[in-house]
C-alpha cells in the first residue's frame, strides 16, 4: 500500500486528485499540500520518521506550475536526498516532460486527470517501490539462463521473457521497462546496458529514452522535420541524433 502526498496550489485540482487517489485500493493513505514549500516540510518530516514511520511518504503526485518553488524545483531538491520518495508529475503543461524524466520521474500525467491514466501511474510507482524493496533484501541472484531470455519478477515469481518478443524498451531512471505485445515488465538494468547487450539482436537506440527492435517497426513517419516510428499501435519519437542511422538501418533491412 502506497502512502501518497498530492501537491497542487489549485484547491479544486488538489481535491479531485486526492479523491481519485483515495479510490485506488493500492493507495493506503493520501494527503494534500497546497504548495511545494509545504510539501517539502511534509517530506522532511517523513524522512525523519523513517520508511516505516507513521509520517512516511512513498510517492509524491506533483503539479509543476506553482507560485514560488515550483514542482520541478522541488523534484530537483528531492534528488539530493538519500532516500527520496518517488515522483509523479500531474500537470496541464506538456512542455516539461523531458525535464521531468531527467529528474527520474515515475510518470508524467496530463490534466484533466483521467482515472485510468492515474491508475497506470500508480501501477508504475507500486512496481518501482517493490523493486527497490527487493534490491534492499539479500537474496540469491538469478542469472540469465541463456542470451535468448531475460528474467523478470512479477509478484514474487521470476519469469523469463523471450528477447524476440520485446518490441521496445523504455528508460525509467536506473530501471528499464520491457514492452511486449502482451504487456510490460520492469527490470533493474540501465538502458545503455541493454543497448550494448542486444545490439547484435537488432535493437537500435532511437532516443535517449527508447531502444527499439528493428523487426517490430511497422512504419517510419516524417512530418515537418520530425521523425517517428510505429511499433505496434504506439508511436515513438526519434531524436535528430539517431534519425539518419535508423533510416539507413531500415533501408538495409528492406
Amino acid at each position: 500500500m502506497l502512502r501518497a502526498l498530492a501537491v497542487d496550489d489549485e484547491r479544486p485540482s488538489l481535491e479531485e486528485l486526492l479523491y481519485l487517489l483515495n479510490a485506488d485500493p493500492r493507495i493506503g493513505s493520501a494527503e494534500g499540500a497546497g504548495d511545494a514549500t509545504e510539501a517539502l516540510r511534509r517530506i522532511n518530516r517523513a524522512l525523519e520518521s523513517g520508511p516505516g514511520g507513521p509520517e512516511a511518504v512513498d510517492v509524491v503526485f506533483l503539479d509543476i506550475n506553482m507560485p514560488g518553488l515550483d514542482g520541478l524545483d522541488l523534484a530537483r531538491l528531492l534528488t539530493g536526498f538519500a532516500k527520496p520518495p518517488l515522483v509523479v508529475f500531474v500537470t496541464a503543461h506538456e512542455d516539461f516532460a523531458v525535464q521531468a524524466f531527467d529528474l527520474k520521474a515515475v510518470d508524467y500525467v496530463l490534466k484533466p486527470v483521467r482515472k485510468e491514466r492515474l491508475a497506470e501511474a500508480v501501477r508504475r510507482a507500486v512496481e518501482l517501490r517493490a523493486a527497490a524493496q527487493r534490491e534492499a533484501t539479500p537474496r540469491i541472484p538469478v542469472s540469465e539462463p541463456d542470451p535468448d531470455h531475460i528474467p523478470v519478477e512479477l509478484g514474487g515469481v521470476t519469469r523469463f521473457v523471450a528477447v524476440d518478443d520485446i518490441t521496445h524498451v523504455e528508460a525509467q531512471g536506473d530501471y528499464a521497462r520491457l514492452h511486449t505485445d502482451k504487456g510490460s515488465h520492469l527490470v533493474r538494468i540501465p538502458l545503455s546496458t541493454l543497448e550494448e547487450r542486444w545490439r547484435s539482436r537488432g535493437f537500435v537506440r532511437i532516443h535517449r529514452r527508447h531502444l527499439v527492435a528493428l523487426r517490430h517497426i511497422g512504419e517510419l513517419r516524417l512530418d515537418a522535420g520530425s521523425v517517428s516510428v510505429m511499433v505496434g499501435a504506439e508511436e515513438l519519437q526519434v531524436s535528430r541524433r539517431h534519425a539518419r542511422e535508423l533510416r539507413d538501418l531500415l533501408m538495409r533491412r528492406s
Side-chain angles (χ1 to χ4, degrees):
M1 300 283 280
L2 291 178
R3 294 156 294 187
L5 176 65
V7 188
D8 198 313
D9 65 310
E10 296 181 358
R11 192 66 190 178
S13 295
L14 180 59
E15 290 178 351
E16 179 185 10
L17 182 55
L18 287 171
Y19 173 79
L20 292 173
L21 288 172
N22 282 311
D24 192 309
R26 296 164 297 185
I27 300 294
S29 63
E31 297 181 28
D35 57 53
T37 302
E38 179 186 350
L40 186 58
R41 288 196 294 266
R42 176 66 183 81
I43 293 167
N44 276 320
R45 293 203 307 272
L47 294 175
E48 290 172 0
S49 72
E55 298 199 60
V57 173
D58 299 311
V59 57
V60 180
F61 291 84
L62 183 58
D63 188 22
I64 289 181
N65 190 15
M66 293 184 288
L69 192 70
D70 67 21
L72 291 172
D73 293 332
L74 177 57
R76 290 189 190 96
L77 289 173
L78 293 181
T79 60
F81 289 24
K83 293 183 179 180
L86 300 172
V87 173
V88 174
F89 284 100
V90 183
T91 177
H93 303 280
E94 299 181 4
D95 303 336
F96 301 106
V98 173
Q99 293 130 285
F101 286 114
D102 282 346
L103 292 169
K104 298 187 177 181
V106 174
D107 209 342
Y108 194 88
V109 180
L110 290 175
K111 297 178 181 178
V113 180
R114 294 183 293 109
K115 178 181 178 181
E116 297 78 9
R117 184 64 185 85
L118 185 64
E120 170 62 14
V122 172
R123 183 185 69 80
R124 292 187 176 198
V126 168
E127 283 192 6
L128 281 170
R129 180 170 175 266
Q133 289 176 334
R134 287 195 296 269
E135 287 295 324
T137 303
R139 58 186 176 88
I140 299 174
V142 178
S143 59
E144 291 189 42
D146 60 64
D148 295 327
H149 295 81
I150 181 169
V152 301
E153 290 193 23
L154 183 63
V157 177
T158 300
R159 298 180 180 178
F160 297 93
V161 175
V163 175
D164 287 344
D165 290 340
I166 298 170
T167 59
H168 61 289
V169 186
E170 177 186 3
Q172 291 189 355
D174 295 330
Y175 294 80
R177 182 171 295 278
L178 312 177
H179 292 267
T180 71
D181 290 338
K182 297 180 180 178
S184 66
H185 308 276
L186 196 68
V187 294
R188 191 178 174 83
I189 304 175
L191 192 66
S192 57
T193 299
L194 294 179
E195 179 185 11
E196 179 67 25
R197 184 184 300 178
W198 291 345
R199 182 177 291 116
S200 62
R201 302 184 68 96
F203 282 80
V204 60
R205 192 75 165 257
I206 65 167
H207 190 276
R208 61 181 170 181
R209 293 193 58 242
H210 287 113
L211 186 67
V212 174
L214 287 172
R215 61 186 169 277
H216 288 291
I217 295 178
E219 294 179 12
L220 177 68
R221 296 182 174 183
L222 304 176
D223 182 17
S226 176
V227 182
S228 62
V229 292
M230 293 301 299
V231 181
E234 190 167 356
E235 183 174 7
L236 303 175
Q237 292 299 312
V238 181
S239 68
R240 291 183 180 180
R241 174 185 173 188
H242 297 97
R244 181 180 294 275
E245 178 189 5
L246 177 62
R247 286 198 297 265
D248 291 344
L249 288 171
L250 289 174
M251 289 297 292
R252 288 202 296 268
R253 186 187 68 165
S254 60

